Amino acid sequence: MVIALAILLVPVTWLIMEVRSTQMLTDLDIIGSGEPVVVQIHEPGFEDSERLRRDIDAARSRMSGELAFRVVNIDTSRGARFAYEYGVSPATVMLFDARGEVARVIEGGGSAEDLEATFTAHLRGAK
């Protein structure tokens, strides 16, 4: 009985952690809260958007500073409204300053190295 409970506990714990991580990654309330934020407009399954997501993850993994990152799924009503409000399409990166103002929009992304340099400059400029 204890072994069965332990076996069930591992996937349930993983699932809870995954849900919390996804909720944090999609929480846009951070925009304008006093720290710079990078938001990717993402369309799951769209190759350019998937590639941009990988490049962003690679860029973030090499950064020494902490930069808030969020993903807007354009396939959701909230994501579609967000993209419409700002007039952007999938595979777009938006950089918001600490006040929530759009500091830069990058259509189509770029290499992980270019994104890392852009994110680092954005983080440095926000301090």
Side-chain angles (χ1 to χ4, degrees):
M1 177 72 162
V2 173
I3 294 172
L5 184 60
I7 290 172
L8 286 175
L9 189 58
V10 171
V12 168
T13 302
W14 177 83
L15 182 60
I16 290 169
M17 290 172 45
E18 190 68 25
V19 166
R20 285 184 182 162
S21 175
T22 300
Q23 286 174 338
M24 186 195 79
L25 194 60
T26 60
D27 178 17
L28 300 175
D29 292 337
I30 192 171
I31 297 173
S33 68
E35 65 180 295
V37 181
V38 172
V39 176
Q40 179 190 358
I41 310 304
H42 182 61
E43 182 177 357
F46 178 47
E47 183 54 39
D48 289 346
S49 192
E50 297 290 348
R51 182 177 43 255
L52 178 57
R53 180 76 185 270
R54 288 189 300 271
D55 289 341
I56 288 171
D57 287 343
R60 290 178 57 225
S61 72
R62 294 194 301 253
M63 289 181 63
S64 59
E66 187 63 33
L67 182 62
F69 175 72
R70 297 295 185 265
V71 176
V72 172
N73 182 344
I74 203 164
D75 286 343
T76 66
S77 59
R78 184 177 184 200
R81 273 192 314 272
F82 185 90
Y84 178 78
E85 176 183 338
Y86 288 100
V88 295
S89 58
T92 298
V93 180
M94 300 180 70
L95 286 75
F96 290 87
D97 65 17
R99 295 180 315 268
E101 304 283 327
V102 177
R104 185 168 179 192
V105 175
I106 305 168
E107 297 275 345
S111 70
E113 294 78 18
D114 290 344
L115 291 169
E116 178 184 5
T118 298
F119 296 164
T120 301
H122 182 60
L123 186 61
R124 205 175 304 126
K127 292 185 178 186

